Amino acid sequence: MENTLVAVGYDNDPNTKVSFREIKNAAIYELSDDNIQQIDNRTLPDVAAYPVPDGGGCAGRNDEYVNAIADVLHDCEYLLLKEVGAYPSRVLLRRGIQTLEQEGDIESLLIKIQQYLKARR
């Protein structure tokens, strides 16, 4: 398996997975055949910096904001969150980032992704 980068979204506590609208940071993990290692921690754009014209709407429907997140996570193949809507999932997928909705222990989830990637080759 090639090395694969997985972003795990969180707010201020890296041990707490969040929904897309709450994401502020991403821990970046590199997965290989026999190793899982955190290699980076990235601050994601603030949704307030991407106002929508009508002053309302949700973060997941804000194209500029979702694309700004994709820019920061451009080298990641997966984004792991507790919950993500269909629209941001589609936008991120077009940018090459697959979203995964999962809850549970981060290490266990990363091991499952690693096993999936090994089986896929």
Side-chain angles (χ1 to χ4, degrees), residues 55-103:
C58 70
R61 286 275 191 198
N62 185 330
D63 280 331
E64 286 186 55
Y65 174 67
V66 178
N67 279 297
I69 287 182
D71 289 342
V72 173
L73 302 178
H74 66 91
D75 54 348
C76 297
E77 189 170 332
Y78 297 96
L79 171 59
L80 184 61
L81 294 165
K82 179 174 72 174
E83 179 183 12
V84 61
Y87 187 78
S89 288
R90 285 191 304 271
V91 172
L92 291 167
L93 186 58
R94 282 194 298 264
R95 300 284 304 270
I97 303 167
Q98 298 180 55
T99 57
L100 302 172
E101 288 185 343
Q102 296 288 318
E103 288 194 66

Side-chain angles (χ1 to χ4, degrees), residues 8-17 27 29 38 41 106:
V8 178
Y10 66 96
D11 54 10
N12 296 316
D13 178 1
N15 296 311
T16 306
K17 286 189 304 311
Y29 292 87
Q38 184 175 349
N41 229 335
I106 292 169

Side-chain angles (χ1 to χ4, degrees), residues 4-8 14-15 26-31 36-40 76 106-107 110:
T4 301
L5 297 185
V6 177
V8 178
N15 296 311
I28 310 300
Y29 292 87
E30 183 177 55
L31 281 58
I36 297 173
Q37 177 181 354
Q38 184 175 349
I39 61 166
D40 199 3
C76 297
I106 292 169
E107 185 176 339
L110 292 171

Side-chain angles (χ1 to χ4, degrees), residues 17-33:
K17 286 189 304 311
V18 294
S19 65
F20 185 80
R21 72 179 177 278
E22 302 166 320
I23 191 171
K24 293 184 175 136
N25 300 286
I28 310 300
Y29 292 87
E30 183 177 55
L31 281 58
S32 63
D33 277 333

